[in-house]
């Protein structure tokens, strides 16, 4: 449920002008109620305010007298399921645009004891599912327990896929960095193991018919498993120069001349060289010449006469003398390592790197760069000029249900389509009790990743950009990630009190192109630079829905709480 679908009582009075918001903080034993009416100024129009709390009925009544009105005005507010201290005094205060009432709690709303108390009606026990944390492991276990799974559009219930029977967790796009940090990259440690693991990791990633890869925000389905969908044929000759310069990594032999124009530019004839040199050597990409990292020197390349093999100049004479003396290539490598140290540039290291790169497809190299995630919230490090994301729509109702990465041919780059969990269901009717994705919403997924970034990057400011144009669409400032709330309309006189539960939210400030506010790109860029703001990139339709949720949630607060330093106060569900 999005913020736009506020939890109003089922029998709310549409004519009622009074609204209420319950609010509490994690680890704080205080409960606050805000009651407001845009047409009334409580500080001057509400006299003799009286508060009456009925714990048996879960009902709070606020009575007061308005000028020129003899009968008192009565406001009825449902009380959430919390443990209010009946012996503590109740504090109330009238402000210009709202009435505030404060209570003391026996225990905070997020106390572990609260989860053990049965405060809900039998038919409402499933409401606790909204607090269930998102877990890929839980979803994999749930889906794997089913004989087969079909995915359905949450908007129109259309079946989207054929039967899926195998589920795997999507590997982290940062796995290469993890391997390097764990095993090290120096050849004298476990760097070789790291390289082999990274290669096998990239080769193992694939979108296969009948297999579903699960990420934190989506499920990745092979395009062959989608029903009623056609995709352009991929361009097999496509290259990806901004990520990996595969054309510049060339295997050269005695019989094969230098194939790359850029490789020729760093090679020049060197007569008299070539005797006893290995049959295969490697030219690394220009940007990654061996020796630049270790020795901080760019080794000049020379063309080794008859063999057409590029070698570092500083190693050439040494290799020639040792080969003439009958020393094998393997012993040659060992000798160089002993003489020059384990981290010196040599052909062995170049050959190892080539052996790893030559076996990986271009799309697998792009995957190792972190550019093939789920495209829900991309970071600057996940962007690539070679990869663009296409919105994937339901074939029947045309609602957004996912996206897929592609290059210039608009064909799925890895043969996989990402279906967002908040737009799909695994059963009919959609969002049933057996659907592990029933509690997913765009705002909860966005909030989770926003909090993860705030914890990892220590940044509480975020700018949301259009994934296609890179232009800023919204600014967000976190205020309180541990708040609880419930909002709705006050009840009429004879209406029974509704049973309500507070839910966890994130209080924040935001700005966007809404109402009378319009973002100025220049000021936004200055704000980003000045505050070292975190940046995320999303699909335009997702940002539009997110801004709509934020705008609707502003109705939870009176006018005095809405605007602060050019930002609107709002909230998102956790």
């Amino acid at each position: 449920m999005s913020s736009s679908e506020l939890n109003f009582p089922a029998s709310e009075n549409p004519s009622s002008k009074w609204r209420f918001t319950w609010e509490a903080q994690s680890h704080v034993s205080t409960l606050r109620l805000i009651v407001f009416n845009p047409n009334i100024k409580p500080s001057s129009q509400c006299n003799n305010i009286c508060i009456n709390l009925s714990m048996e009925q879960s009902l709070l009544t606020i009575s007061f007298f308005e000028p020129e009105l003899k009968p008192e005005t009565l406001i009825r507010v449902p009380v959430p399921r919390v443990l209010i201290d009946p012996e503590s005094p109740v504090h109330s205060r009238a402000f210009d645009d709202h009435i505030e009432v404060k209570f003391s709690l026996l225990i905070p709303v997020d106390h572990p004891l609260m989860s053990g108390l049965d405060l809900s009606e039998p038919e409402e026990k499933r409401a606790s599912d909204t607090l269930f944390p998102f877990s890929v492991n839980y979803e994999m276990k749930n889906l794997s327990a089913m004989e087969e799974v079909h995915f359905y559009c949450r908007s129109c219930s259309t079946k989207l896929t054929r039967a899926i029977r195998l589920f795997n967790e999507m590997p982290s796009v940062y796995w290469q960095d993890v391997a390097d940090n764990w095993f090290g990259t120096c050849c004298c440690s476990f760097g070789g193991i790291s390289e082999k693991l990274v290669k096998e990791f990239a080769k193992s990633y694939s979108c296969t018919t009948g297999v579903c890869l699960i990420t934190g925000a989506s499920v990745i389905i092979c395009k062959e498993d989608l029903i009623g969908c056609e995709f352009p044929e991929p361009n097999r000759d496509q290259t990806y120069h901004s990520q990996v310069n595969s054309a510049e990594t060339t295997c050269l032999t005695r019989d094969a001349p230098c194939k790359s124009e850029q490789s020729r530019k760093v090679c020049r004839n060197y007569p008299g060289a070539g005797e006893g040199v290995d049959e295969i050597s490697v030219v690394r990409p220009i940007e990654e010449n061996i020796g630049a990292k270790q020795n901080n020197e760019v080794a000049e390349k020379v063309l080794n006469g008859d063999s057409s093999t590029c070698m570092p100049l500083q190693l050439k004479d040494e290799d020639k003398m040792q080969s003439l003396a009958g020393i094998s290539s393997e012993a040659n490598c060992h000798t160089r390592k002993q003489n020059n140290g384990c981290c010196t540039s040599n052909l062995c290291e170049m050959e190892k790197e080539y052996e790893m790169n030559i076996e990986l497809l271009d799309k697998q190299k792009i995957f190792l760069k972190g550019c093939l995630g789920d495209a829900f919230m991309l970071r600057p490090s996940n962007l690539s000029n070679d990869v663009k994301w296409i919105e994937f729509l339901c074939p029947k109702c045309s609602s957004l249900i996912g996206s897929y990465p592609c290059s210039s041919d608009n064909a799925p780059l890895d043969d996989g389509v990402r279906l967002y969990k908040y737009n799909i269901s695994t059963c009919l009717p959609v969002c049933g009790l057996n659907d592990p994705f029933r509690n997913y919403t765009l705002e909860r997924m966005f909030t989770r990743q926003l909090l993860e970034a705030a914890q990892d990057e220590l940044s509480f400011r975020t700018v949301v950009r259009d994934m296609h144009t890179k232009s800023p669409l919204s600014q967000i400032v976190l205020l309180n990630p541990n708040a609880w709330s419930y909002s709705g309309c006050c009840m009429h006189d004879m209406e029974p009190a509704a049973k309500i539960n507070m839910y966890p939210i994130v209080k924040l400030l935001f700005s966007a192109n809404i109402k009378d506010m319009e973002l100025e790109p220049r000021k936004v860029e200055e704000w980003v630079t000045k505050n070292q703001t975190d940046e995320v990139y999303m699909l335009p339709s997702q940002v539009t829905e997110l801004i709509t949720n934020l705008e609707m949630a502003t109705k939870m607060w009176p006018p005095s709480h809405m605007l602060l330093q050019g930002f609107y106060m709002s909230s998102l569900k956790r």
Side-chain angles (χ1 to χ4, degrees):
M1 184 180 297
S2 67
S3 293
S4 60
E5 301 171 346
L6 297 178
N7 288 328
F8 301 147
S11 56
E12 69 180 18
N13 178 15
S15 64
S16 176
K17 299 294 185 179
W18 288 92
R19 300 177 63 89
F20 70 89
T21 294
W22 290 99
E23 183 183 26
Q25 311 296 329
S26 297
H27 315 301
V28 179
S29 299
T30 301
L31 179 66
R32 186 170 74 137
L33 170 66
I34 296 177
V35 182
F36 59 96
N37 185 333
N39 300 321
I40 293 180
K41 188 176 182 180
S43 60
S44 60
Q45 295 180 264
C46 300
N47 303 320
N48 300 324
I49 297 177
C50 181
I51 309 296
N52 183 28
L53 176 63
S54 174
M55 303 294 294
E56 295 79 10
Q57 300 180 15
S58 297
L59 181 66
L60 176 75
T61 59
I62 303 175
S63 60
F64 54 86
F65 290 93
E66 295 184 54
E68 301 179 358
L69 292 178
K70 291 185 178 180
E72 67 177 357
T73 301
L74 192 66
I75 302 175
R76 304 173 77 245
V77 180
V79 178
R81 293 186 177 98
V82 292
L83 297 180
I84 297 177
D85 187 354
E87 298 182 357
S88 296
V90 177
H91 302 279
S92 63
R93 184 179 176 185
F95 293 86
D96 285 343
D97 60 355
H98 68 279
I99 299 174
E100 180 185 79
V101 184
K102 288 186 178 181
F103 303 88
S104 295
L105 299 176
L106 294 175
I107 57 176
V109 292
D110 64 333
H111 194 281
L113 288 178
M114 290 295 296
S115 60
L117 296 177
D118 187 10
L119 299 177
S120 58
E121 300 295 329
E123 65 273 11
E124 296 182 2
K125 286 186 177 179
R126 300 300 299 188
S128 61
D129 287 348
T130 58
L131 305 181
F132 193 89
F134 299 113
S135 170
V136 173
N137 291 333
Y138 166 79
E139 293 161 0
M140 284 187 55
K141 181 178 179 180
N142 191 307
L143 295 172
S144 299
M146 304 179 188
E147 183 176 347
E148 61 181 24
V149 176
H150 296 85
F151 292 101
Y152 302 87
C153 173
R154 192 181 287 192
S155 298
C156 66
S157 301
T158 298
K159 183 187 291 188
L160 301 172
T161 67
R162 300 182 177 89
I164 306 295
R165 296 180 175 86
L166 184 60
F167 300 88
N168 294 322
E169 182 177 358
M170 171 73 169
S172 170
V173 294
Y174 305 107
W175 200 87
Q176 185 174 21
D177 293 337
V178 174
D180 289 343
N181 291 337
W182 182 261
F183 293 104
T185 56
C186 178
C187 60
C188 64
S189 63
F190 294 96
I193 297 178
S194 175
E195 289 181 0
K196 292 179 180 179
L197 286 176
V198 168
K199 180 182 69 175
E200 295 303 322
F201 161 70
K203 292 173 64 177
S204 66
Y205 167 71
S206 62
C207 296
T208 309
T209 303
V211 179
C212 171
L213 296 176
I214 304 178
T215 74
S218 66
V219 295
I220 305 179
I221 304 295
C222 179
K223 65 179 183 180
E224 304 298 333
D225 288 325
L226 294 170
I227 299 176
C229 301
E230 296 183 0
F231 299 91
E233 289 297 323
N235 180 8
R236 301 301 180 186
D237 298 327
Q238 177 72 28
T239 57
Y240 310 95
H241 296 288
S242 68
Q243 285 300 329
V244 283
N245 298 292
S246 56
E248 296 171 6
T249 302
T250 309
C251 178
L252 304 177
T253 65
R254 295 181 186 273
D255 301 323
C258 191
K259 298 293 181 66
S260 170
E261 282 296 325
Q262 304 217 29
S263 295
R264 288 198 193 102
K265 293 178 182 178
V266 297
C267 299
R268 60 186 176 89
N269 290 330
Y270 192 85
E275 299 84 358
V277 181
D278 293 342
E279 296 236 347
I280 298 178
S281 298
V282 181
V283 178
R284 294 191 56 186
I286 299 175
E287 292 85 357
E288 296 177 326
N289 284 329
I290 289 292
K293 294 182 180 179
Q294 293 92 344
N295 300 330
N296 200 24
E297 297 176 0
V298 179
E300 181 181 4
K301 301 293 184 177
V302 296
L303 187 65
N304 186 1
D306 298 335
S307 66
S308 297
T309 301
C310 289
M311 301 174 57
L313 180 62
Q314 63 185 35
L315 300 178
K316 192 248 169 221
D317 293 335
E318 177 185 350
D319 286 341
K320 180 179 177 181
M321 295 300 297
Q322 290 180 344
S323 63
L324 291 175
I327 303 178
S328 66
S329 174
E330 187 174 328
N332 189 5
C333 291
H334 178 70
T335 303
R336 278 202 303 271
K337 285 185 179 181
Q338 285 185 333
N339 293 343
N340 300 327
C342 65
C343 296
T344 302
S345 300
N346 53 61
L347 290 179
C348 297
E349 294 301 318
M350 298 165 69
E351 290 168 3
K352 286 181 181 179
E353 176 111 4
Y354 172 74
E355 289 172 359
M356 184 182 82
N357 287 338
I358 199 64
E359 296 181 29
L360 296 180
L361 302 176
D362 282 336
K363 65 182 181 182
Q364 292 170 334
K365 296 176 185 178
I366 292 180
F367 171 70
L368 286 179
K369 297 290 185 179
C371 300
L372 298 183
D374 53 25
F376 178 66
M377 288 175 63
L378 293 181
R379 304 287 169 181
S381 59
N382 303 134
L383 297 177
S384 169
N385 292 331
D386 294 324
V387 179
K388 62 179 180 179
W389 290 88
I390 303 295
E391 294 185 349
F392 182 71
L393 307 180
C394 172
K396 182 176 181 180
C397 67
S398 298
S399 62
L400 175 69
I401 55 176
S403 64
Y404 62 89
C406 67
S407 55
S408 58
D409 54 15
N410 289 338
L413 190 59
D414 57 356
D415 296 331
V417 176
R418 283 75 173 152
L419 303 181
Y420 296 121
K421 295 178 182 178
Y422 70 92
N423 284 333
I424 60 174
S425 179
T426 61
C427 62
L428 291 177
V430 296
C431 298
L433 295 180
N434 295 325
D435 181 10
F437 306 143
R438 64 184 178 275
N439 295 318
Y440 276 87
T441 62
L442 181 142
E443 64 174 318
R444 294 188 73 189
M445 289 169 48
F446 178 84
T447 302
R448 179 181 65 168
Q449 295 197 24
L450 195 67
L451 293 178
E452 289 177 355
Q455 183 177 5
D456 296 339
E457 306 294 337
L458 297 179
S459 174
F460 300 97
R461 296 177 178 86
T462 302
V463 60
V464 182
R465 297 183 183 273
D466 186 323
M467 188 183 296
H468 299 148
T469 65
K470 309 300 186 293
S471 60
L473 299 180
S474 180
Q475 297 169 273
I476 294 177
V477 180
L478 289 179
L479 293 181
N480 186 351
N482 298 308
W484 292 68
S485 182
Y486 185 94
S487 297
C489 291
C490 297
M491 303 180 298
H492 58 73
D493 293 344
M494 302 306 296
E495 185 177 4
K499 306 296 183 182
I500 62 176
N501 288 301
M502 300 181 71
Y503 50 84
I505 65 169
V506 173
K507 292 184 66 176
L508 52 83
L509 300 174
F510 84 101
S511 66
N513 294 324
I514 60 172
K515 297 180 181 178
D516 56 348
M517 178 182 294
E518 184 174 351
L519 293 182
E520 298 183 22
R522 181 182 60 81
K523 291 185 177 180
V524 173
E525 298 303 333
E526 292 177 353
W527 184 75
V528 170
T529 304
K530 178 180 178 181
N531 298 288
Q532 297 182 344
T533 302
D534 191 25
E535 297 180 79
V536 297
Y537 297 80
M538 300 177 65
L539 295 173
S541 58
Q542 292 175 326
V543 180
T544 300
E545 182 179 348
L546 176 66
I547 293 176
T548 300
N549 291 341
L550 290 169
E551 186 177 5
M552 292 297 295
T554 60
K555 298 179 180 179
M556 295 172 54
W557 316 105
S560 61
H561 288 59
M562 280 191 181
L563 204 58
L564 180 63
Q565 296 181 357
F567 288 78
Y568 284 101
M569 178 177 288
S570 185
S571 66
L572 291 173
K573 282 187 178 181
R574 282 193 280 124

